[in-house]
Amino acid sequence: LGLVKLCEKETMLRKGQAGDALRDLRSSVRMHSRLTKFKKDNSAGVKQGTRFQTLKRSIRARMDEASARYSRARSALRSLGVQIRELTNADMDLLGKFVFNDAIRPGEGFAEVPWIWSASAMIAGSEPDNPDEGAWSDIWLAVHHSAVRTAY
């Protein structure tokens, strides 16, 4: 009797953990994509290129950490009898492929947007992404780029 309630609470908490991990993953993928586009449009020189690579590595580490958290939550949910989608490397494709049209060339076929971008409805209790977050990350990139540029 008490075990059923415990399983229900554990399921709810693990779904929340999976939702938080997906939200963090989307945020990191979005930031990585914007950083890549920003670098392509504004970077010149080896020093700036090295700084951008360092930033991209730290963002990639955040992506990997969020992916691992989602996988742990998924594994726990599977042991509780709840099925949610598996996260693959293809699901973490950068947004540039879909938003900026840089990676898809004529004749390369159709690219489907990964499921993680519509997953907030799939996992109960997850919050939708903040619509203003993209604008703030663009501002952060511009300010950070200016600060780094003036420092050297």
Side-chain angles (χ1 to χ4, degrees):
L1 289 349
L3 193 57
V4 172
K5 287 191 183 261
L6 181 64
C7 286
E8 288 173 357
K9 287 185 184 211
E10 178 74 13
T11 299
M12 182 183 68
L13 290 171
R14 293 297 181 165
K15 283 183 178 182
Q17 180 184 17
D20 288 347
L22 283 177
R23 187 192 64 235
D24 293 346
L25 179 62
R26 285 190 296 260
S27 176
S28 296
V29 169
R30 191 180 297 121
M31 181 67 83
H32 194 285
S33 296
R34 286 199 165 105
L35 181 64
T36 301
K37 175 131 176 69
F38 190 83
K39 176 185 180 262
K40 184 178 176 184
D41 294 343
N42 299 301
S43 178
V46 174
K47 194 181 282 189
Q48 285 181 342
T50 303
R51 284 197 180 89
F52 278 113
Q53 289 303 320
T54 303
L55 275 171
K56 285 171 72 171
R57 270 195 296 276
S58 70
I59 293 169
R60 184 65 202 191
R62 286 179 46 199
M63 289 169 60
D64 292 341
E65 190 271 329
S67 172
R69 277 190 294 133
Y70 178 84
S71 294
R72 286 191 302 271
R74 180 180 180 270
S75 177
L77 284 167
R78 285 183 61 202
S79 67
L80 291 167
V82 178
Q83 295 294 322
I84 61 173
R85 290 185 73 161
E86 183 177 6
L87 185 65
T88 64
N89 285 337
D91 296 326
M92 294 187 287
D93 273 349
L94 299 182
L95 284 177
K97 182 185 249 186
F98 309 101
V99 177
F100 307 127
N101 293 326
D102 291 343
I104 299 176
R105 306 270 185 252
E108 289 185 358
F110 175 75
E112 187 173 322
V113 176
W115 65 270
I116 65 169
W117 299 103
S118 62
S120 60
M122 181 197 75
I123 296 180
S126 66
E127 297 287 321
D129 287 340
N130 181 357
D132 295 329
E133 183 179 291
W136 284 113
S137 62
D138 285 343
I139 292 168
W140 180 85
L141 281 173
V143 168
H144 185 71
H145 177 70
S146 296
V148 167
R149 198 173 198 177
T150 57
Y152 292 93

